[in-house]
Every structure is written in C-alpha cells, then in structure tokens.
Amino acid sequence: MKRNTLLSMLVLAAMLLSACAAPTPEIVEKEVVVEKPVVQTVVVEKEVVVEKKVVETVVVEKEVVVIATPETKEPVILRYADKAADLGTMDPHFAAATNDRNLVDMIFNGLVRYKPGDGSVIEPDLAEALPEPELVGGKQVWTFKLRRGVMCHPSDAVPSYELTAEDVVWSLQKSANPDTSAYAGEYDGMTVEAVDEYTVKVTMEKPLSPVLFFPKVADYAGGFIVCKQAYEAVGDEAFKTQPVGTGPFMFDSYSPQEKVVLVANDAYFRGRPLLDAVEYRYMPDINSRELGLKSGELDVINGAAEGIWVERMNKEEGVRVDVYGVGEVATVHFDITVPPLDDVRVRKAIAYALERDEFLALFGEPVAANVYSPVPAQFLAGGLTQKEVAELGLEYAVDRDKARELLAEAGYADGFSLEMVSSERESYLKNYQSMQAQLAEIGIDIKIEVVDHSGMHSLIREDVNPIVIYVAWRPNADVYLTRFYHSDSIVVTGAKPDTNFSHYDQIDDLIEAARVELDADKQVAMWKEAQIKIMDDMVSYPLQYQNQVTARHDYVDFGHELKSALALYAQITENTRITK
C-alpha cells in the first residue's frame, strides 16, 4: 500500500513537471541492494564456541524511481546561400573568388584582422597587440607576440595542437611562394623568423607605412595563417577541400555544387560560437535564393546588386536587406599584347564606345556608383575623381563617332570579333552583356561563354580572355596597382603571376617608389601619376563600384554593426546568433 501511494505521488509530480515544460520524466522500478547483518554459529571440534555476526548482501525491495529524460536540444544552424555555383578552394592563399573568401574568413585567422563589420579598423587577431616598427640596420622590423593557447582545428589527419611561431613563419613563407600562393607578389622584400615559440619577427627590406604593411599580415588573402602540420599531412591539393585553421568554425563536409558545412570550434580562443554550425549553400539563381529565404528554408542570402531588388525585398515582412561596403570595383582590362588590342587606337575606340551610365543602370543606387580610375576615389587615397580625369582629358566620355574614326584609322573600319568567358554571377555577366551590346554599335562582335564563377577565375588566369572584366576590392592603392599593373603580376608569364591581365609593364618604377614613400602626400601624388599613365595608355577602363547586398530574416543577428567587410560578405563570427 505504501509503495502504491508513493507511485501515485510520483506520477502526479511528473504530470506537474510536464505541464511546466520540463523534460518528460521516466518512471522505472529499481532494485535497491543493501548489506544486511546476520548471525552465524561457528562450530569447532563439535562444540559450540561462539556466535559471530557477519554481513551478507541481499535484495531488500524494489523501489519506484523517477528519472528525468534529458531535454533534446536542436542544433543552431545558420543556412546561408551564396550566388556562386560551387566551391573553388578553401586554401586561403588561393581563395580569390568571393565565395571562397567568405568561407576562409570563418575558418582562419591572421596576425591582425579587419574588425568584423568595419573594414576601416585594424585590430590584433593571433597577435596579442599591434606592434610598432623598429629600424635595424636600415631595415624595418615588426615583432609580433602571439596569443598562447590558440588551437589548430582537429582533423582526420592531425589531432588539435597549439599554434606557435613555427606555424606563422611557415604560413607566411607559403604566401610568398608562387607555387603555393596566388598572392606571392605581395611578399617581396619580406623575411620572417621565429624568435621563440610565441614571438615572430617580420623584416622588411624597405620600410612601409602601417597602412601598407598591416594588410600583408591581416585576415585577407596571403595574410591568413595556415596550420603547418595539417597542411603537410594531407598535401596541397587535398587541403583545398580539407582546410584546417584556428578560426571560430571548422570544416565538416563538402558536397560538390551543393554546400559546405562548417561546425563550431569549441576551443576557439575568443569563445565558443553561439551557432553550432553554418551551412554554406551554392545557389547561383537569385530567384531560388529569394524563394528559399521567403519560405524559411534559408536564413541569409547573397542578394541581387540592384537598387530595385533592395527596395522590393525591404518590403517583405520579417526580412532585412543590408547594403554595405566595401565597394568592389568592376574594371575592363585589355590584353595589350594580342591583336587588335595591341593598338592603342583600338583600345581607346572601345573606351569611347562605352558609356558608364549604361553599366550603372544595371545596378543602381544605393548599390553602385561610377568610378573613373583603377583605384576608387570614393574609398581610398590615391584615386582620381571624375573632375580630375575630365580635366586631364582621360574621362573617355561616350563618343561613338570618335570610336568609329579610331577603328578606321587602325584598319578596322568593319570591326572585328572577340571571344571570352564570363562568370554566371550577375556582377560579371551583366557587365559583359552590356559591353557586348554597346560594342556592337561600332561593329565589334563579342561572343561570351558563361561558366561557373570558380571556373572563370581559373580560365582568366590561364590568359584565355582578350578582355577581362574583373570585380575586386583591394585594401589600398599599392595593392591595386601592384596586382593589376606591375610586370611581376602578369598572368602566366609574370615573375609572380597574379591579375595583371593587361600584360602591362610601364609603371613598375612608379609603383615601387610610391610603396616605400613615407610622406603621405608624395605617396598619393605618385599613385595618381601611375594611374594617369594607365588611363592615357588605355590599359583598363574602370566602370563602377558595387556594394555588398545581403538579405536576412530579422531573427539573424550578425553580432556586429555592418558598415564594411573586406571579406565581401556580412561576416559570420563567434558572436553571430539566431534569436528565434
């Protein structure tokens, strides 16, 4: 009777707990085993000598016990859809495509970083503090003290281990090697050495201002730090799809043309992420991404770089659209070594046939605005404004009659044909198609083959396009000029092939002199002089900058104010959370 009363009371308690949304209790019977003393008689030589107490184990009774069932917690997964068709690489030193940059931003760190959500601020990352440079024997020395306890992600090949100066030195040397990095040209004149386990010394042959030095060791391009043991264990090819870094998220899986899954790094030095995982999905079609967001299948999407799309999506209930920098610059690059583009009259004819406002109308405010020099004056010191280029006679305002005259002078009165590839991304394809239509007005026939975004990046680096439209952001004027116009950066044949699609080699001295000029005014003047030469030779024709556009449900909190991001997406960090 007592046992039944107890059982009734426990059932009632379980019901009350359930009503309070507690975990559902489980009622079980449990055998309670106790030790019980008994008396034994010990007989010695047929005589009773003593009665002795001993202990034996017996089952006394069965007792009803309530065991609370553990509450099942659904993992918090952020589902992000990008406009690319597939992954290119997750080796950060080759991650040139925007979709690849987004992923490596979550997986890796640099010695320093651009503050999440505000690319104008540099702050420590793997380093404890921002160092001040010293001059030693005429050379500039930057000494970085590393954070202790930063752990490399565990992988199938190598268990987790602490990142040390050895990893940093090896990684920056990898960045400087053209065989293992697309950014090797950025590391000329730099040597790196480990002073001790947690101290790295970077020596520059020629002193640089902080604004030019820090981007080389920041969480951008070649500045990402790779874990040496993991890379060497799997090899360079495998590492592209099995990356190991120190960032807030770790690689989990890759499904080609579908998604990459990243999971939270429990040992992240800034604290475990609030998200359990990120699903980075590949959806090149904007209508599919938009439908996925509206249906709730997706939490965040890469939006359309169109003012009208931004306006329409902002009217959707529960959806917010973020338009933010940095503004990637779309530029038309001419290969000046191939006929008929080896004739400057032909290149200038193309420039006069193009109208910036026609390109701009494809995107519109607040997403885009015209630019008039390779370095965007709206964002960076050293750029040229519309007024400046107009006064120099280098604006190339649309004049198709003049364009036809120049073509005739060059022997191409009947025009000519060119073939090229374009990415499927709107920021590329729309510009290529607009150029195609505009140049048809002067008899130039452009044939365009559309390939996936990563494929385009590979092909243009093999020099397949006589005209390359490239959309990119670079952190300062020196990087723009070095990577697009220095002879070392010429695709395929350069000493350190990069993105000099024009094969231009006329401003090396100016670029190198400006790089080491410590007087800011003189440095800016030299950058402008270099661009005046570029525009006069019509090596490239700047079109517009395009801001980043991201749409999200209002329950997504990125964890930072979103002003600008050199990672070219809204940045998912350890502080990003879902609030629903």
Side-chain angles (χ1 to χ4, degrees):
M1 182 69 180
K2 180 179 178 182
R3 186 182 304 169
N4 289 340
T5 303
L6 176 62
L7 178 60
S8 299
M9 292 176 65
L10 288 171
V11 170
L12 177 61
M15 293 173 65
L16 290 172
L17 286 170
S18 176
C20 296
T24 305
E26 180 184 0
I27 301 174
V28 298
E29 285 191 341
K30 177 183 176 183
E31 288 185 347
V32 179
V33 180
V34 300
E35 292 180 338
K36 179 179 178 181
V38 296
V39 176
Q40 288 184 348
T41 302
V42 180
V43 180
V44 180
E45 294 181 356
K46 299 182 181 181
E47 293 181 6
V48 176
V49 176
V50 66
E51 289 186 342
K52 179 182 176 183
K53 284 187 178 182
V54 297
V55 176
E56 65 179 23
T57 302
V58 297
V59 175
V60 177
E61 63 177 327
K62 288 186 177 181
E63 163 180 294
V64 176
V65 180
V66 177
I67 302 174
T69 303
E71 185 176 4
T72 302
K73 179 185 176 185
E74 289 294 323
V76 181
I77 302 173
L78 181 75
R79 299 157 302 172
Y80 178 96
D82 186 62
K83 58 188 174 184
D86 201 2
L87 171 73
T89 178
M90 285 181 283
D91 181 335
H93 301 157
F94 284 106
T98 302
N99 50 299
D100 297 340
R101 288 177 181 271
N102 298 172
L103 284 168
V104 302
D105 179 69
M106 292 184 262
I107 298 171
F108 297 92
N109 297 94
L111 285 173
V112 301
R113 71 173 183 173
Y114 295 96
K115 181 180 178 181
D118 188 354
S120 67
V121 177
I122 290 275
E123 61 185 17
D125 199 9
L126 295 174
E128 292 181 342
L130 299 180
E132 291 289 337
E134 299 175 287
L135 282 178
V136 181
K139 298 178 182 180
Q140 188 182 52
V141 177
W142 302 76
T143 302
F144 292 89
K145 293 288 186 180
L146 302 182
R147 295 178 189 262
R148 295 172 185 248
V150 174
M151 304 302 293
C152 288
H153 301 158
S155 67
D156 292 339
V158 177
S160 179
Y161 71 93
E162 186 181 17
L163 181 123
T164 66
E166 179 184 6
D167 296 276
V168 175
V169 171
W170 177 88
S171 188
L172 291 175
Q173 289 173 344
K174 174 182 179 298
S175 296
N177 183 347
D179 294 331
T180 55
S181 170
Y183 309 108
E186 285 295 298
Y187 297 91
D188 284 342
M190 175 189 289
T191 56
V192 192
E193 60 183 300
V195 177
D196 57 42
E197 198 172 13
Y198 299 103
T199 308
V200 174
K201 184 166 69 174
V202 178
T203 302
M204 302 300 301
E205 290 289 326
K206 297 178 181 178
L208 293 180
S209 62
V211 73
L212 294 187
F213 174 76
F214 281 131
K216 297 178 185 295
V217 294
D219 57 341
Y220 178 87
F224 284 111
I225 301 303
V226 172
C227 294
K228 175 186 176 183
Q229 293 180 31
Y231 183 94
E232 292 184 334
V234 300
D236 55 353
E237 281 303 312
F239 194 81
K240 293 175 182 178
T241 53
Q242 300 174 45
V244 173
T246 55
F249 294 94
M250 309 184 296
F251 172 75
D252 180 70
S253 64
Y254 166 48
S255 303
Q257 299 182 332
E258 183 186 352
K259 64 183 176 181
V260 170
V261 177
L262 305 179
V263 295
N265 175 11
D266 291 340
Y268 187 50
F269 61 87
R270 288 190 173 93
R272 187 194 188 279
L274 299 176
L275 299 173
D276 293 312
V278 177
E279 284 190 4
Y280 193 95
R281 302 187 186 180
Y282 297 103
M283 300 177 68
D285 180 61
I286 180 60
N287 294 321
S288 298
R289 298 197 304 276
E290 185 178 324
L291 180 62
L293 185 72
K294 290 178 179 177
S295 69
E297 177 191 352
L298 299 170
D299 303 306
V300 185
I301 66 171
N302 193 306
E306 301 170 1
I308 192 169
W309 188 89
V310 172
E311 183 179 356
R312 177 169 59 82
M313 288 298 291
N314 266 326
K315 295 177 181 177
E316 291 287 332
E317 185 177 355
V319 171
R320 294 182 183 177
V321 181
D322 299 296
V323 179
Y324 53 97
V326 293
E328 295 181 87
V329 179
T331 303
V332 180
H333 298 270
F334 303 109
D335 185 344
I336 64 175
T337 66
V338 299
L341 301 175
D342 56 347
D343 190 323
V344 68
R345 293 170 295 183
V346 172
R347 302 195 299 271
K348 289 189 175 183
I350 292 174
Y352 280 116
L354 300 177
E355 183 172 1
R356 285 185 176 89
D357 287 343
E358 284 195 33
F359 291 100
L360 183 62
L362 301 170
F363 305 97
E365 295 182 350
V367 174
N370 289 334
V371 294
Y372 298 88
S373 64
V375 177
Q378 292 94 330
F379 302 107
L380 296 173
L384 295 164
T385 65
Q386 181 181 12
K387 180 180 179 182
E388 287 175 311
V389 296
E391 290 174 349
L392 292 164
L394 298 174
E395 183 180 358
Y396 296 96
V398 61
D399 186 340
R400 288 175 182 149
D401 289 335
K402 187 168 185 175
R404 294 184 187 95
E405 290 174 8
L406 286 168
L407 282 183
E409 284 179 23
Y412 296 97
D414 296 327
F416 52 86
S417 296
L418 294 172
E419 296 181 1
M420 55 200 71
V421 300
S422 167
S423 165
E424 85 283 4
R425 283 194 165 195
E426 302 100 322
S427 56
Y428 282 84
L429 186 55
K430 285 182 177 181
N431 278 322
Y432 270 106
Q433 290 173 334
S434 181
M435 180 176 69
Q436 180 185 49
Q438 292 183 56
L439 293 186
E441 296 287 325
I442 62 169
I444 298 177
D445 179 29
I446 301 291
K447 294 179 172 60
I448 303 169
E449 179 186 357
V450 180
V451 299
D452 68 83
H453 191 61
S454 297
M456 180 213 69
H457 272 280
S458 297
L459 288 168
I460 61 178
R461 282 165 174 77
E462 294 170 9
D463 220 8
V464 302
N465 274 16
I467 299 177
V468 172
I469 296 180
Y470 202 78
V471 184
W473 169 260
R474 300 291 178 257
N476 53 63
D478 175 69
V479 181
Y480 268 107
L481 296 174
T482 298
R483 296 188 57 196
F484 290 107
Y485 305 103
H486 194 286
S487 63
D488 283 353
S489 301
I490 294 173
V491 290
V492 181
T493 61
K496 296 184 177 180
D498 195 356
T499 51
N500 184 343
F501 304 110
S502 301
H503 294 251
Y504 194 53
D505 62 359
Q506 297 299 302
I507 56 171
D508 288 5
D509 291 345
L510 263 174
I511 294 172
E512 291 166 12
R515 185 180 301 145
V516 297
E517 177 55 65
L518 299 180
D519 183 299
D521 292 337
K522 291 180 181 178
Q523 189 175 56
V524 166
M526 294 168 82
W527 284 333
K528 289 187 176 185
E529 184 182 350
Q531 290 172 92
I532 290 168
K533 176 68 173 167
I534 291 168
M535 301 293 287
D536 191 41
D537 290 341
M538 190 29 63
V539 175
S540 62
Y541 179 89
L543 294 177
Q544 80 278 130
Y545 74 78
Q546 302 168 14
N547 275 322
Q548 312 304 315
V549 179
T550 298
R552 59 187 164 103
H553 285 286
D554 55 12
Y555 58 69
V556 175
D557 177 2
F558 289 123
H560 49 257
E561 184 181 359
L562 194 50
K563 297 179 180 177
S564 62
L566 272 75
L568 306 180
Y569 79 124
Q571 293 193 277
I572 299 168
T573 74
E574 72 281 1
N575 295 319
T576 302
R577 62 185 181 135
I578 291 175
T579 60
K580 67 176 181 178

